[in-house]
Coordinates of all heavy atoms in Angstrom, one line a residue:
M1 N 195.4 69.8 60.2 CA 194.4 70.5 59.4 C 194.2 69.6 58.2 O 194.5 68.4 58.2 CB 194.9 71.9 59.0 CG 195.2 72.8 60.1 SD 193.6 73.3 60.8 CE 194.1 74.7 61.8
D2 N 193.6 70.2 57.1 CA 193.3 69.4 55.9 C 194.3 69.6 54.8 O 194.0 69.1 53.7 CB 191.9 69.8 55.5 CG 191.8 71.2 55.1 OD1 192.8 71.9 55.1 OD2 190.7 71.7 54.7
G3 N 195.4 70.2 55.0 CA 196.4 70.4 54.0 C 196.1 71.6 53.1 O 196.8 71.8 52.1
D4 N 195.1 72.3 53.3 CA 194.7 73.5 52.5 C 195.6 74.7 52.9 O 195.4 75.2 54.0 CB 193.2 73.8 52.6 CG 192.8 74.9 51.7 OD1 193.6 75.5 51.0 OD2 191.6 75.1 51.7
D5 N 196.5 75.1 52.0 CA 197.3 76.2 52.4 C 196.6 77.5 52.6 O 197.1 78.4 53.3 CB 198.4 76.5 51.3 CG 199.3 75.3 51.2 OD1 199.5 74.6 52.2 OD2 199.9 75.1 50.1
D6 N 195.4 77.7 52.1 CA 194.6 78.9 52.2 C 193.6 78.9 53.4 O 192.8 79.7 53.6 CB 193.8 79.2 50.9 CG 194.7 79.6 49.8 OD1 195.8 80.1 50.1 OD2 194.4 79.3 48.6
F7 N 193.8 77.8 54.2 CA 192.8 77.7 55.3 C 192.8 78.9 56.2 O 191.7 79.4 56.6 CB 193.2 76.4 56.1 CG 192.3 76.2 57.3 CD1 191.0 75.7 57.2 CD2 192.7 76.6 58.6 CE1 190.2 75.6 58.3 CE2 191.9 76.4 59.7 CZ 190.6 75.9 59.5
G8 N 193.9 79.4 56.6 CA 194.0 80.5 57.5 C 193.4 81.8 56.9 O 192.7 82.5 57.6
A9 N 193.6 82.0 55.6 CA 193.0 83.1 54.9 C 191.5 83.0 54.9 O 190.8 84.0 55.1 CB 193.5 83.3 53.5
E10 N 191.0 81.8 54.6 CA 189.5 81.6 54.6 C 188.9 81.8 56.0 O 187.9 82.4 56.2 CB 189.2 80.2 54.1 CG 189.4 80.0 52.6 CD 189.2 78.6 52.2 OE1 188.4 77.9 52.8 OE2 189.8 78.2 51.2
L11 N 189.6 81.3 57.0 CA 189.2 81.5 58.4 C 189.1 83.0 58.8 O 188.2 83.5 59.3 CB 190.1 80.7 59.3 CG 189.7 80.8 60.8 CD1 188.3 80.3 61.1 CD2 190.7 80.1 61.6
A12 N 190.2 83.7 58.4 CA 190.2 85.2 58.7 C 189.1 85.9 58.0 O 188.5 86.8 58.6 CB 191.6 85.7 58.3
A13 N 188.8 85.5 56.8 CA 187.7 86.2 56.1 C 186.3 85.9 56.7 O 185.5 86.8 56.8 CB 187.7 85.7 54.6
S14 N 186.2 84.7 57.3 CA 184.9 84.4 57.9 C 184.7 85.0 59.3 O 183.7 85.0 59.8 CB 184.8 82.9 58.0 OG 185.7 82.4 59.0
L15 N 185.8 85.6 59.8 CA 185.7 86.3 61.1 C 185.5 87.8 61.0 O 185.7 88.5 62.0 CB 187.0 86.0 61.9 CG 187.3 84.6 62.3 CD1 188.6 84.4 63.0 CD2 186.2 84.1 63.2
D16 N 185.0 88.2 59.9 CA 184.7 89.6 59.7 C 183.7 90.1 60.6 O 182.5 89.6 60.6 CB 184.3 89.8 58.2 CG 183.8 91.3 58.0 OD1 184.1 92.2 58.8 OD2 183.2 91.5 56.9
P17 N 184.0 90.9 61.6 CA 183.0 91.3 62.6 C 181.8 92.0 62.0 O 180.7 92.0 62.6 CB 183.7 92.3 63.5 CG 185.1 92.5 63.0 CD 185.3 91.6 61.8
D18 N 181.9 92.6 60.8 CA 180.7 93.3 60.2 C 179.7 92.2 59.8 O 178.5 92.5 59.5 CB 181.1 94.1 59.0 CG 181.8 95.4 59.4 OD1 181.6 95.8 60.6 OD2 182.6 95.9 58.6
S19 N 180.1 91.0 59.7 CA 179.1 89.9 59.3 C 178.5 89.2 60.4 O 177.5 88.5 60.2 CB 179.8 88.9 58.4 OG 180.8 88.2 59.1
W20 N 178.9 89.5 61.7 CA 178.3 88.8 62.8 C 178.1 89.6 64.1 O 177.3 89.3 64.9 CB 179.1 87.5 63.1 CG 180.5 87.8 63.5 CD1 181.5 87.6 62.6 CD2 181.1 88.1 64.7 NE1 182.7 87.9 63.2 CE2 182.5 88.2 64.5 CE3 180.6 88.4 66.0 CZ2 183.4 88.6 65.5 CZ3 181.4 88.8 67.0 CH2 182.8 88.8 66.7
A21 N 178.8 90.7 64.2 CA 178.6 91.5 65.4 C 177.3 92.3 65.4 O 177.0 92.9 64.4 CB 179.8 92.5 65.5
W22 N 176.6 92.3 66.5 CA 175.4 93.1 66.6 C 175.8 94.5 67.2 O 176.5 94.6 68.1 CB 174.4 92.4 67.6 CG 173.8 91.2 66.9 CD1 174.2 90.5 65.9 CD2 172.5 90.6 67.3 NE1 173.3 89.5 65.6 CE2 172.3 89.5 66.5 CE3 171.6 90.9 68.3 CZ2 171.2 88.7 66.6 CZ3 170.5 90.1 68.4 CH2 170.3 89.1 67.6
L23 N 175.2 95.5 66.6 CA 175.4 96.8 66.9 C 174.3 97.3 67.9 O 173.2 97.1 67.7 CB 175.5 97.7 65.7 CG 176.5 97.3 64.6 CD1 176.4 98.2 63.4 CD2 177.9 97.4 65.2
P24 N 174.7 98.1 68.9 CA 173.7 98.7 69.8 C 172.7 99.6 69.0 O 173.2 100.3 68.2 CB 174.5 99.4 70.8 CG 175.9 99.1 70.6 CD 176.0 98.5 69.3
G25 N 171.5 99.5 69.4 CA 170.5 100.4 68.8 C 169.9 99.9 67.4 O 169.0 100.6 66.9
V26 N 170.4 98.9 66.9 CA 169.9 98.4 65.6 C 168.8 97.4 65.8 O 168.9 96.5 66.7 CB 171.0 97.7 64.8 CG1 170.5 97.1 63.5 CG2 172.1 98.7 64.5
D27 N 167.6 97.6 65.2 CA 166.5 96.7 65.3 C 166.6 95.5 64.4 O 166.0 95.5 63.3 CB 165.2 97.5 65.0 CG 163.9 96.7 65.3 OD1 164.0 95.6 65.8 OD2 162.8 97.2 65.0
Y28 N 167.3 94.5 64.8 CA 167.5 93.3 64.0 C 166.3 92.5 63.9 O 166.0 91.8 62.9 CB 168.6 92.4 64.6 CG 170.0 93.1 64.6 CD1 170.5 93.7 65.7 CD2 170.7 93.1 63.4 CE1 171.8 94.3 65.6 CE2 172.0 93.7 63.3 CZ 172.5 94.3 64.4 OH 173.7 94.9 64.3
A29 N 165.4 92.6 64.9 CA 164.2 91.8 64.9 C 163.3 92.2 63.8 O 162.6 91.4 63.1 CB 163.4 91.9 66.2
A30 N 163.2 93.5 63.5 CA 162.3 94.0 62.4 C 162.8 93.4 61.1 O 162.0 93.0 60.3 CB 162.3 95.5 62.4
G31 N 164.1 93.5 60.8 CA 164.6 93.0 59.6 C 164.4 91.5 59.5 O 164.1 91.0 58.4
W32 N 164.6 90.8 60.6 CA 164.4 89.3 60.6 C 163.0 89.0 60.3 O 162.7 88.0 59.6 CB 164.9 88.8 61.9 CG 164.8 87.3 61.9 CD1 165.7 86.4 61.5 CD2 163.7 86.5 62.4 NE1 165.3 85.1 61.6 CE2 164.0 85.1 62.2 CE3 162.5 86.8 63.0 CZ2 163.2 84.1 62.5 CZ3 161.6 85.8 63.3 CH2 162.0 84.4 63.1
R33 N 162.0 89.7 60.9 CA 160.6 89.4 60.6 C 160.3 89.5 59.1 O 159.5 88.7 58.6 CB 159.7 90.3 61.5 CG 159.6 89.9 62.9 CD 158.5 90.6 63.7 NE 158.8 92.1 63.7 CZ 159.5 92.6 64.7 NH1 160.0 91.9 65.7 NH2 159.6 94.0 64.7
V34 N 160.8 90.6 58.5 CA 160.5 90.7 57.0 C 161.2 89.6 56.3 O 160.6 89.0 55.4 CB 161.1 92.1 56.5 CG1 161.1 92.2 55.0 CG2 160.4 93.2 57.2
A35 N 162.4 89.2 56.6 CA 163.1 88.1 56.0 C 162.4 86.8 56.2 O 162.3 86.0 55.3 CB 164.5 88.0 56.5
R36 N 161.8 86.6 57.4 CA 161.1 85.4 57.8 C 159.9 85.2 56.9 O 159.6 84.1 56.4 CB 160.7 85.4 59.3 CG 160.0 84.2 59.7 CD 160.8 82.9 59.5 NE 160.0 81.8 59.8 CZ 160.1 81.0 60.8 NH1 161.0 81.2 61.7 NH2 159.3 79.9 61.0
Q37 N 159.1 86.3 56.7 CA 157.9 86.2 55.9 C 158.3 85.8 54.4 O 157.7 84.9 53.8 CB 157.2 87.5 55.8 CG 155.9 87.5 55.0 CD 155.2 88.8 55.0 OE1 155.4 89.6 55.8 NE2 154.2 88.9 54.1
T38 N 159.4 86.4 53.9 CA 159.8 86.1 52.5 C 160.4 84.7 52.5 O 160.1 83.9 51.5 CB 160.9 87.1 52.1 OG1 160.3 88.4 52.1 CG2 161.3 86.8 50.7
A39 N 161.1 84.3 53.5 CA 161.7 82.9 53.5 C 160.5 81.9 53.6 O 160.6 80.8 52.9 CB 162.6 82.7 54.7
D40 N 159.5 82.1 54.4 CA 158.4 81.2 54.5 C 157.7 81.1 53.1 O 157.3 80.0 52.7 CB 157.4 81.7 55.5 CG 157.9 81.4 57.0 OD1 158.9 80.7 57.1 OD2 157.3 82.0 57.9
E41 N 157.5 82.2 52.4 CA 156.8 82.2 51.1 C 157.7 81.4 50.1 O 157.1 80.6 49.3 CB 156.6 83.6 50.7 CG 155.5 84.3 51.5 CD 155.4 85.8 51.2 OE1 156.2 86.3 50.3 OE2 154.6 86.5 51.8
L42 N 159.0 81.7 50.1 CA 159.9 81.0 49.2 C 159.9 79.5 49.5 O 159.8 78.6 48.6 CB 161.3 81.6 49.3 CG 162.3 81.0 48.4 CD1 161.9 81.0 46.9 CD2 163.6 81.8 48.5
N43 N 159.9 79.1 50.8 CA 159.9 77.7 51.2 C 158.6 77.0 50.7 O 158.6 75.9 50.2 CB 160.1 77.5 52.7 CG 161.5 77.7 53.1 OD1 162.4 77.3 52.3 ND2 161.7 78.2 54.3
S44 N 157.5 77.7 50.8 CA 156.2 77.2 50.3 C 156.2 77.0 48.8 O 155.7 75.9 48.3 CB 155.0 78.1 50.7 OG 154.9 78.2 52.1
L45 N 156.8 77.9 48.1 CA 156.9 77.8 46.6 C 157.9 76.6 46.3 O 157.6 75.8 45.3 CB 157.5 79.0 46.0 CG 156.5 80.2 45.9 CD1 157.2 81.5 45.5 CD2 155.4 79.8 44.9
L46 N 159.0 76.5 47.0 CA 159.9 75.3 46.7 C 159.2 74.0 46.9 O 159.3 73.1 46.1 CB 161.1 75.4 47.6 CG 162.1 76.6 47.2 CD1 163.2 76.7 48.3 CD2 162.8 76.3 45.9
V47 N 158.4 73.9 48.0 CA 157.7 72.6 48.3 C 156.7 72.4 47.2 O 156.5 71.3 46.7 CB 157.1 72.7 49.7 CG1 156.1 71.5 49.9 CG2 158.1 72.6 50.8
A48 N 155.9 73.5 46.8 CA 154.9 73.3 45.7 C 155.5 72.9 44.4 O 154.9 72.2 43.6 CB 154.2 74.6 45.5
C49 N 156.8 73.2 44.2 CA 157.5 72.8 43.0 C 158.2 71.4 43.1 O 158.9 71.0 42.2 CB 158.6 73.8 42.6 SG 157.8 75.4 42.0
G50 N 158.0 70.8 44.3 CA 158.5 69.4 44.5 C 159.9 69.4 45.1 O 160.5 68.3 45.1
V51 N 160.4 70.5 45.6 CA 161.7 70.5 46.2 C 161.6 70.1 47.7 O 160.9 70.8 48.4 CB 162.4 71.8 46.0 CG1 163.8 71.8 46.7 CG2 162.6 72.2 44.6
D52 N 162.2 69.1 48.1 CA 162.2 68.6 49.5 C 162.9 69.6 50.4 O 164.0 70.0 50.1 CB 162.9 67.2 49.6 CG 162.8 66.7 51.0 OD1 161.8 66.0 51.3 OD2 163.7 66.9 51.8
R53 N 162.3 70.0 51.5 CA 162.9 70.9 52.4 C 164.2 70.5 53.0 O 165.0 71.3 53.3 CB 161.9 71.3 53.5 CG 162.3 72.4 54.4 CD 161.2 72.8 55.3 NE 161.8 73.6 56.4 CZ 161.7 74.9 56.5 NH1 161.1 75.6 55.5 NH2 162.2 75.5 57.5
G54 N 164.4 69.2 53.0 CA 165.7 68.7 53.5 C 166.8 68.9 52.5 O 168.0 68.7 52.8
Q55 N 166.4 69.2 51.2 CA 167.4 69.4 50.2 C 167.7 70.8 49.9 O 168.9 71.2 49.6 CB 166.9 68.8 48.8 CG 166.9 67.3 48.9 CD 166.5 66.7 47.5 OE1 166.0 67.4 46.6 NE2 166.8 65.4 47.3
L56 N 166.7 71.7 50.1 CA 167.0 73.1 49.9 C 165.9 73.9 50.7 O 164.7 73.6 50.7 CB 166.8 73.5 48.4 CG 167.1 74.9 48.0 CD1 168.6 75.3 48.2 CD2 166.7 75.2 46.5
R57 N 166.4 75.0 51.4 CA 165.4 75.8 52.1 C 165.9 77.2 52.2 O 167.1 77.5 52.1 CB 165.2 75.2 53.5 CG 166.5 75.3 54.3 CD 166.3 74.6 55.6 NE 167.6 74.5 56.3 CZ 167.8 74.4 57.5 NH1 166.8 74.3 58.3 NH2 169.0 74.3 58.0
A58 N 165.0 78.1 52.4 CA 165.3 79.5 52.6 C 165.3 79.8 54.1 O 164.5 79.2 54.8 CB 164.2 80.4 52.0
I59 N 166.3 80.6 54.5 CA 166.5 80.9 55.9 C 166.6 82.4 56.1 O 167.3 83.1 55.4 CB 167.8 80.2 56.4 CG1 167.8 78.7 56.2 CG2 168.1 80.6 57.9 CD1 169.2 78.1 56.4
A60 N 165.8 82.8 57.1 CA 165.7 84.3 57.4 C 167.0 84.7 58.2 O 167.5 83.9 59.0 CB 164.5 84.6 58.2
D61 N 167.5 85.9 57.9 CA 168.7 86.4 58.5 C 168.7 87.9 58.4 O 167.7 88.5 57.8 CB 169.9 85.8 57.8 CG 171.2 85.8 58.7 OD1 171.1 86.4 59.8 OD2 172.2 85.3 58.3
T62 N 169.6 88.6 59.0 CA 169.8 90.0 58.8 C 171.3 90.3 58.6 O 172.1 89.5 58.9 CB 169.4 90.8 60.1 OG1 170.2 90.4 61.2 CG2 167.9 90.6 60.4
D63 N 171.5 91.5 58.0 CA 172.9 91.9 57.8 C 173.3 92.7 59.1 O 172.5 92.9 60.0 CB 173.1 92.7 56.5 CG 172.3 94.0 56.5 OD1 171.8 94.5 57.5 OD2 172.1 94.5 55.4
A64 N 174.5 93.3 59.1 CA 175.0 94.0 60.2 C 174.2 95.2 60.6 O 174.2 95.7 61.7 CB 176.5 94.3 60.0
Q65 N 173.5 95.8 59.6 CA 172.7 97.0 59.8 C 171.3 96.7 60.1 O 170.5 97.6 60.2 CB 172.8 97.9 58.6 CG 174.2 98.6 58.4 CD 175.2 97.6 57.8 OE1 174.9 96.8 57.0 NE2 176.4 97.7 58.3
G66 N 170.9 95.4 60.2 CA 169.6 95.0 60.5 C 168.7 94.8 59.3 O 167.5 94.6 59.4
G67 N 169.3 94.9 58.1 CA 168.5 94.7 56.9 C 168.1 93.3 56.7 O 168.9 92.4 57.1
A68 N 167.0 93.0 56.1 CA 166.5 91.7 55.9 C 167.3 90.9 54.8 O 167.7 91.5 53.8 CB 165.0 91.7 55.4
L69 N 167.7 89.7 55.2 CA 168.4 88.8 54.2 C 167.7 87.5 54.2 O 167.2 87.0 55.2 CB 169.9 88.6 54.7 CG 170.8 89.7 54.7 CD1 172.2 89.2 55.2 CD2 171.0 90.2 53.3
V70 N 167.7 86.9 53.1 CA 167.2 85.5 52.9 C 168.3 84.7 52.3 O 168.8 85.0 51.2 CB 165.9 85.4 52.1 CG1 165.5 84.0 51.9 CG2 164.8 86.2 52.7
R71 N 168.7 83.7 53.0 CA 169.8 82.8 52.5 C 169.2 81.5 52.0 O 168.2 81.0 52.6 CB 170.8 82.5 53.6 CG 171.6 83.7 54.1 CD 172.6 83.3 55.1 NE 172.0 82.9 56.4 CZ 172.1 81.6 56.9 NH1 172.8 80.7 56.2 NH2 171.5 81.3 58.0
L72 N 169.7 80.9 51.0 CA 169.3 79.6 50.5 C 170.4 78.6 51.0 O 171.6 78.9 50.8 CB 169.2 79.5 49.0 CG 168.0 80.2 48.4 CD1 168.0 80.1 46.9 CD2 166.7 79.5 48.9
E73 N 170.0 77.5 51.6 CA 170.9 76.5 52.1 C 170.4 75.2 51.7 O 169.3 74.9 51.8 CB 171.0 76.6 53.6 CG 172.0 75.7 54.2 CD 172.1 75.9 55.7 OE1 172.8 76.9 56.1 OE2 171.6 75.1 56.4
G74 N 171.3 74.4 51.2 CA 170.9 73.0 50.8 C 172.1 72.2 50.3 O 173.2 72.6 50.3
V75 N 171.7 71.0 50.0 CA 172.7 70.0 49.5 C 172.7 70.1 48.0 O 171.9 70.7 47.4 CB 172.3 68.6 50.0 CG1 172.4 68.5 51.5 CG2 170.9 68.1 49.5
L76 N 173.6 69.3 47.4 CA 173.8 69.4 45.9 C 172.5 69.1 45.2 O 172.2 69.8 44.2 CB 174.9 68.4 45.5 CG 175.2 68.4 44.0 CD1 175.7 69.7 43.5 CD2 176.2 67.3 43.7
D77 N 171.8 68.1 45.6 CA 170.5 67.7 44.9 C 169.5 68.9 45.0 O 168.8 69.1 44.0 CB 169.9 66.5 45.5 CG 170.6 65.2 45.2 OD1 171.4 65.2 44.2 OD2 170.4 64.2 45.9
G78 N 169.5 69.6 46.1 CA 168.6 70.8 46.2 C 169.0 71.9 45.2 O 168.2 72.5 44.6
G79 N 170.3 72.1 45.1 CA 170.9 73.0 44.1 C 170.5 72.7 42.7 O 170.2 73.5 41.9
M80 N 170.6 71.4 42.4 CA 170.3 70.9 41.1 C 168.8 71.1 40.8 O 168.4 71.4 39.7 CB 170.7 69.4 40.9 CG 172.2 69.2 41.0 SD 173.2 70.2 39.8 CE 172.7 69.4 38.3
S81 N 168.0 70.8 41.8 CA 166.5 71.1 41.6 C 166.2 72.5 41.4 O 165.4 72.9 40.5 CB 165.8 70.6 42.9 OG 165.8 69.2 43.1
L82 N 166.9 73.4 42.1 CA 166.7 74.9 41.9 C 167.2 75.2 40.5 O 166.5 76.0 39.8 CB 167.5 75.7 42.9 CG 167.4 77.2 42.8 CD1 165.9 77.6 42.9 CD2 168.2 77.9 43.8
K83 N 168.3 74.7 40.0 CA 168.8 75.0 38.7 C 167.8 74.5 37.6 O 167.5 75.3 36.7 CB 170.1 74.2 38.5 CG 170.7 74.4 37.1 CD 171.9 73.5 36.9 CE 172.3 73.6 35.4 NZ 173.4 72.6 35.1
E84 N 167.2 73.4 37.8 CA 166.2 72.9 36.9 C 165.0 73.8 36.8 O 164.5 74.1 35.8 CB 165.8 71.5 37.3 CG 164.8 70.8 36.3 CD 164.4 69.4 36.8 OE1 165.2 68.7 37.5 OE2 163.3 69.0 36.4
L85 N 164.5 74.2 38.0 CA 163.4 75.1 38.1 C 163.7 76.5 37.4 O 162.9 77.0 36.7 CB 162.9 75.3 39.5 CG 162.3 74.1 40.2 CD1 162.2 74.4 41.7 CD2 161.0 73.8 39.6
L86 N 164.9 77.0 37.6 CA 165.3 78.3 37.0 C 165.4 78.1 35.5 O 165.0 79.1 34.8 CB 166.5 78.8 37.7 CG 166.4 79.2 39.1 CD1 167.8 79.6 39.7 CD2 165.4 80.4 39.3
C87 N 165.9 77.0 35.0 CA 166.0 76.8 33.6 C 164.6 76.7 33.0 O 164.4 77.3 31.9 CB 166.8 75.5 33.3 SG 168.6 75.7 33.5
L88 N 163.7 76.1 33.7 CA 162.3 76.0 33.2 C 161.7 77.4 33.1 O 161.0 77.8 32.1 CB 161.4 75.1 34.0 CG 161.7 73.6 33.9 CD1 161.0 72.8 35.0 CD2 161.3 73.1 32.6
A89 N 161.9 78.2 34.2 CA 161.4 79.6 34.2 C 162.0 80.4 33.1 O 161.3 81.2 32.4 CB 161.7 80.2 35.5
A90 N 163.3 80.2 32.8 CA 164.0 81.0 31.8 C 163.4 80.6 30.4 O 163.2 81.4 29.5 CB 165.5 80.7 31.8
D91 N 163.1 79.3 30.2 CA 162.5 78.8 29.0 C 161.1 79.5 28.7 O 160.8 79.9 27.6 CB 162.4 77.3 28.9 CG 163.7 76.6 28.7 OD1 164.6 77.2 28.3 OD2 163.7 75.4 29.0
V92 N 160.3 79.5 29.8 CA 159.0 80.1 29.7 C 159.1 81.6 29.3 O 158.3 82.1 28.5 CB 158.2 79.9 31.0 CG1 157.0 80.8 31.1 CG2 157.9 78.5 31.2
R93 N 160.1 82.3 29.9 CA 160.3 83.7 29.6 C 161.0 83.9 28.2 O 161.1 85.0 27.8 CB 161.1 84.3 30.7 CG 160.4 84.4 32.0 CD 161.1 85.2 33.0 NE 161.3 86.5 32.5 CZ 161.6 87.6 33.2 NH1 161.8 87.4 34.5 NH2 161.7 88.8 32.7
G94 N 161.4 82.8 27.6 CA 162.1 83.0 26.3 C 163.5 83.4 26.5 O 164.1 84.0 25.6
E95 N 164.1 83.2 27.6 CA 165.5 83.6 27.9 C 166.4 82.4 28.2 O 167.1 82.4 29.2 CB 165.5 84.6 29.1 CG 164.7 85.8 28.8 CD 164.6 86.8 30.0 OE1 165.5 86.6 30.9 OE2 163.8 87.6 30.0
A96 N 166.2 81.4 27.4 CA 167.0 80.1 27.6 C 168.5 80.4 27.6 O 169.0 81.3 27.0 CB 166.6 79.1 26.6
M97 N 169.2 79.6 28.4 CA 170.6 79.8 28.5 C 171.3 79.2 27.3 O 171.3 78.3 26.8 CB 171.1 79.0 29.8 CG 170.6 79.7 31.0 SD 171.1 78.9 32.6 CE 172.8 78.8 32.5

């Protein structure tokens, strides 16, 4: 392994069936479609702000009950770009950090 003593605990936490098991009768597709529309809109805004899609992107997903989720996934540079954009937005709103 990698020498991390907490590796097993982290692995066990990631195996939570509520986070990945599909339940019979739940309409996951409907939640995913809603999330997909929002993710597409967010991705368009990120690109319009100069954030490369290879650095940061929104991904449509659903929770265990079929609710829409949008996850952000990216590399460090993408996260830094998002931080810069959020700081600019906070400045405009007068809520600087």
Side-chain angles (χ1 to χ4, degrees):
M1 298 291 193
D2 61 4
D4 184 355
D5 293 336
D6 292 330
F7 177 77
E10 289 177 25
L11 181 60
S14 69
L15 293 177
D16 175 16
D18 288 338
S19 67
W20 56 265
W22 284 22
L23 303 173
V26 176
D27 186 3
Y28 293 100
W32 183 85
R33 282 191 297 271
V34 171
R36 177 62 188 250
Q37 180 178 348
T38 302
D40 287 347
E41 292 169 2
L42 182 53
N43 283 325
S44 294
L45 285 170
L46 288 168
V47 168
C49 290
V51 179
D52 183 89
R53 189 173 161 99
Q55 292 186 344
L56 183 67
R57 65 186 172 158
I59 301 169
D61 201 353
T62 62
D63 63 16
Q65 292 77 36
L69 292 177
V70 175
R71 295 181 294 112
L72 286 176
E73 183 175 284
V75 297
L76 181 61
D77 287 343
M80 296 304 291
S81 294
L82 180 60
K83 177 185 172 187
E84 183 179 334
L85 290 169
L86 292 173
C87 285
L88 288 171
D91 284 346
V92 168
R93 292 186 61 160
E95 299 176 18
M97 293 177 54

